[in-house]
Amino acid sequence: MSDIGYRELFNSSIENPTGFWSDAARAVTWTREPQRVLDDTNPPFYRWFPDGQLNTCVNALDRHVAGGRADQPALIYDSPVTSTKRTYTFHELLDETARFAGVLRALGVGKGDRVVIYLPMVPEAVIAMLACARLGAVHSVVFGGFAPHELATRIDDARPTVVVSASCGIEPSRIVEYKPMLDAALDMAQHKPAACVIVQRDRHRCELVPGRDLDWHELIGNSEPVEAVPVAATDPLYILYTSGTTGKPKGIVRDNGGHAVALLWSMRHIYDVAPGEVFWAASDVGWVVGHSYIVYGPLLLGATTVLYEGKPVGTPDPGAFWRVVSEHGVKALFSAPTALRAIRKEDPEGTHIHRYDLTGLRCLFQAGERLDPDTYAWAAEKLGVPVVDHWWQTETGWAVAANPMGVEALPIKPGSPTVPMPGYDVHVLRIDGSECQPGEDGAICIALPLPPGTLPTLWGDDARYEAAYLCEHPGYYLTGDGGYIDEDGYLFVMGRIDDVINVAGHRLSTGAIEEVLATHPAVAECAVIGVADEIKGQVPRGLVVLKARASAEGLADELVKLVRDEIGAVACLKQVDVVAALPKTRSGKILRKTMRGIAHGKDEPTPSTIEDATVLHAIEPILRP
Ligand code: COA
Ligand code: AMP
């Protein structure tokens, strides 16, 4: 616990941000100490530690080896889907990383070059990310559940020198062949990488394309370790694509310096973890949670991280999480509410919890979607430890609002991610930009500058960064979430106010799904809305209007398959209905919000701007739950 309480700490971060973050920056090992903390000469673009220089991989690995942690576990790979467990010490992880950095360098990867990583939850994913950081190269990890078209879009935007992938991923019910998806993506993409490095997995090996594909294990066996390349604090560490409101994903940029400072601060002050302790984020390296809290956060701190290739249920049972916690001595677990709901459904009494010794577990952190009060109550009662909801986004890289367990454990209000974290000056605004009263719903915004670790811009697209986040309320970053702040200063995040939906903790764009549906020759018009789902929180639902003379026969199945092929299995579109027309405003805007309300069983008033109310009334019976 720190000497001062939350309120004092938070106030100091807002009143004196440069003092606050220059103190926090002392936890980082710099090759050149920053003399300036914040460059605010070009608003609304801000850069933290503009003259600092460091290497993120050195901070995550070398300094712990040099500082006496060489033989401490750095990474525990626990894979129930392959019945494998393997521990890498800091020394071993550094050695593998430095040698893989040698592989990448030999393939022409240097400072600033991009490397796309399309890998399942295997240690090579962590090693590849850290190897890029070592070279000052920029990684872009693509989640394995995305289809070739999504991978191709990201390859064309990031223009990687090398792609790192694997022969397969392993889902409980099937082998996911990555290699054919990579081949298809590279056929589609305009940009062609110089080489692909492929991890051959025993469960399913693949054919390598001569002259393009190389075998990870052969390369690394012949590679020499390379030293780290210092980079500017403001140089990019990674690009992570996330869903926007259109089909074109946004390339969120993360820099090196602010990222290291913020994550180190968060590990101690939010998660209350110390070097040498075991931290487990049960997420995927393809998501921001995986970047920040499977890979970088714990390793920067000198903690041990767990890489879990399995599911909350079915690998083999709903006790899987509790087994991992007890077996590896996990002090803090981070997962998504959807995982808890899946566990609860199969084990409502928590019988599996009692099979394991969980006395080492201090706290359960939740994010990815709102922790609903019902799931909160179940987990808190069954586990008997604080269950802490915290709210953040790919864009922010670390929690905007949380209960800072390493500062002061504040009373928990179910349904609230508690309070803003240092540096996040959170405001709830009305449409006209005025401030909402306590308890009044509005758009959740953050006054600029955002703190270190948050996105400085979008990859190669400053204009889109401004348009998407900064124009709506000048001087503020628009989070895209709606909610309110109560009389005690607690934030309540109630859901997106744009066309982004959250499916099993995965962020998807309804606009992107609509773009795919619209490509079908029978579809004249379509709308996709997010509807409530007991386990996944939300799932997409499609409504399509047919072209004249087009047939509805078999169409729904075709559309479901189309979305799965184009976006990926994670899109989870299972229901598409054919309707005569879509309800619209007189200016032609589809009334998605009204349809969403009806699908959630609400008594939605007919909007005064509606063009033809009979259209809405005609689809009501289809939409009602
Ligand atoms: N690679 C390839 N395919 C993947 C994948 C991956 N990495 N992850 C998921 N998929 C596939 C699944 O196999 C499934 O395919 P199917 O339609 O053929 O069954 C589909 O994508 C949907 O997956 P998912 O949404 O995970 O649903 P599920 O029914 O398989 O599992 C849960 C439900 C709740 C167990 C699961 O969603 C889960 O563990 N969620 C937690 C998510 C999380 O941690 N998010 C990070 C935020 S912190
Ligand atoms: P992603 O960028 O994929 O991490 O998704 C971020 C979005 O998920 C946020 O904008 C929210 O809509 C939602 N989200 C994440 N965590 C929470 C939370 N704790 N409470 C409410 N919504 C959340």
Side-chain angles (χ1 to χ4, degrees), residues 354-371:
H354 304 303
R355 286 169 53 206
Y356 299 99
D357 176 7
L358 301 184
T359 47
L361 183 68
R362 286 196 300 255
C363 193
L364 171 63
F365 292 89
Q366 293 284 292
E369 60 181 301
R370 178 170 185 250
L371 175 59

Side-chain angles (χ1 to χ4, degrees), residues 434-456:
S434 60
E435 197 101 19
C436 290
Q437 294 295 318
E440 180 188 342
D441 259 319
I444 307 179
C445 299
I446 306 166
L448 297 175
L450 296 173
T454 55
L455 81 170

Side-chain angles (χ1 to χ4, degrees), residues 250 458 462-472 477-480:
K250 294 170 175 164
L458 295 178
D462 285 351
R464 189 175 180 202
Y465 170 60
E466 278 196 270
Y469 300 105
L470 309 178
C471 286
E472 182 92 7
Y477 164 85
L478 183 76
T479 66

Side-chain angles (χ1 to χ4, degrees), residues 184-231:
L186 289 173
D187 281 347
M188 283 177 211
Q190 302 289 313
H191 173 80
K192 306 292 172 205
C196 297
V197 179
I198 308 295
V199 179
Q200 290 278 21
R201 304 191 75 186
D202 291 340
R203 185 66 73 84
H204 174 89
R205 298 177 71 81
C206 64
E207 292 284 317
L208 300 184
V209 175
R212 188 196 75 188
D213 298 346
L214 302 156
D215 182 310
W216 170 296
H217 296 294
E218 280 174 19
L219 292 173
I220 206 163
N222 298 319
S223 169
E224 290 299 317
V226 297
E227 285 305 309
V229 178
V231 297

Side-chain angles (χ1 to χ4, degrees), residues 34-64:
Q35 304 301 308
R36 276 181 81 196
V37 179
L38 176 66
D39 176 0
D40 55 2
T41 55
N42 183 30
F45 296 89
Y46 298 88
R47 307 309 307 257
W48 290 94
F49 312 109
D51 56 359
Q53 208 180 63
L54 76 161
N55 182 280
T56 296
C57 178
V58 166
N59 275 273
L61 299 177
D62 305 58
R63 67 167 175 165
H64 303 309

